[in-house]
Amino acid sequence: SKKIIVFVTPYSSLAMGTIEYKKIKKLKSVCEAVKNIENVHLIIKLHPFDDDWKIYENLCKESGLLNYSFLKDIEMLKLLKYCDLLITYHSVAGYEAVLMDKNVLWLRDSSDFRCDDAWDFKKYGCTVMVDNLLELEGWINDALFNPNVLLMLKKNREAYRLAHVYGIDAKAAN
């Protein structure tokens, strides 16, 4: 059966720090990487306020990617249930995926305003921080098929959840 990769698009807003050329560059890199990997299907999950699906479709076609589809009106948690890998940047979906024990590739570059790893993902090694988009295909392969990487990410996600989620005791009023 095919592995499901979900790419989450951010809401395009200068106020949010997302610039159109970055969005296009990152999706183009994802399409180029995925088209070379067998037995995968890319789902591009549009942000609820994102109506740019034609831009994404054109990028997919230009790259020669055949195994893709678009989803917009589906709850992210339902989609995460079925995905094998989430690829994102600037999205809380990455945090949700870690909590649901899913592999996550976080696309970054030095000019991203959230490079400071506010959620401690880098500290725990529970996601793969991809700083070089030229390495994306290799990271996708590793995050889907490399048993050593899969085991490492799983152990690191568990440590992350133990530190950030399971320790919540609901005694804030005490």
Side-chain angles (χ1 to χ4, degrees):
S1 70
K2 288 189 176 192
K3 299 278 189 178
I4 303 296
I5 301 170
V6 174
F7 177 74
V8 180
T9 68
Y11 177 58
S12 288
S13 166
L14 291 176
M16 295 286 291
T18 302
I19 299 173
E20 202 68 25
Y21 76 88
K22 282 187 178 185
K23 181 168 70 171
I24 290 169
K25 176 183 172 186
K26 289 179 181 178
L27 178 63
K28 196 181 274 189
S29 296
V30 169
C31 290
E32 290 292 332
V34 169
K35 79 175 183 181
N36 296 319
I37 301 172
E38 292 184 21
N39 297 317
V40 298
H41 184 83
L42 177 66
I43 296 174
I44 299 166
K45 167 65 170 91
L46 299 173
H47 187 279
F49 298 125
D50 193 345
D51 291 321
D52 291 338
W53 69 272
K54 276 291 195 194
I55 291 171
Y56 303 124
E57 185 174 43
N58 289 339
L59 287 171
C60 291
K61 286 180 180 178
E62 287 172 14
S63 73
L65 181 66
L66 302 174
N67 49 338
Y68 69 94
S69 55
F70 296 95
L71 291 176
K72 182 175 181 177
D73 297 323
I74 185 172
E75 292 179 32
M76 192 66 225
L77 295 178
K78 287 182 181 178
L79 185 56
L80 284 173
K81 182 178 176 181
Y82 299 103
C83 87
D84 297 290
L85 173 64
L86 181 107
I87 301 174
T88 190
Y89 66 104
H90 299 315
S91 177
V92 74
Y95 180 73
E96 293 169 332
V98 167
L99 296 183
M100 291 182 68
D101 202 25
K102 299 295 181 173
N103 291 331
V104 178
L105 295 184
W106 201 270
L107 306 182
R108 306 180 331 153
D109 65 48
S110 60
S111 63
D112 286 343
F113 77 100
R114 292 189 191 170
C115 271
D116 61 351
D117 191 26
W119 287 317
D120 287 338
F121 292 157
K122 188 172 184 176
K123 175 182 173 184
Y124 282 84
C126 60
T127 66
V128 176
M129 301 292 188
V130 180
D131 294 312
N132 183 347
L133 293 176
L134 296 175
E135 298 173 353
L136 186 56
E137 183 179 339
W139 282 117
I140 292 171
N141 267 308
D142 281 349
L144 288 173
F145 304 111
N146 183 321
N148 295 326
V149 172
L150 293 170
L151 181 61
M152 177 201 65
L153 289 172
K154 185 164 192 62
K155 286 180 178 180
N156 292 348
R157 281 192 304 273
E158 182 62 24
Y160 180 87
R161 287 193 310 273
L162 282 170
H164 288 83
V165 180
Y166 299 147
I168 298 172
D169 62 8
K171 295 180 183 178
N174 293 343

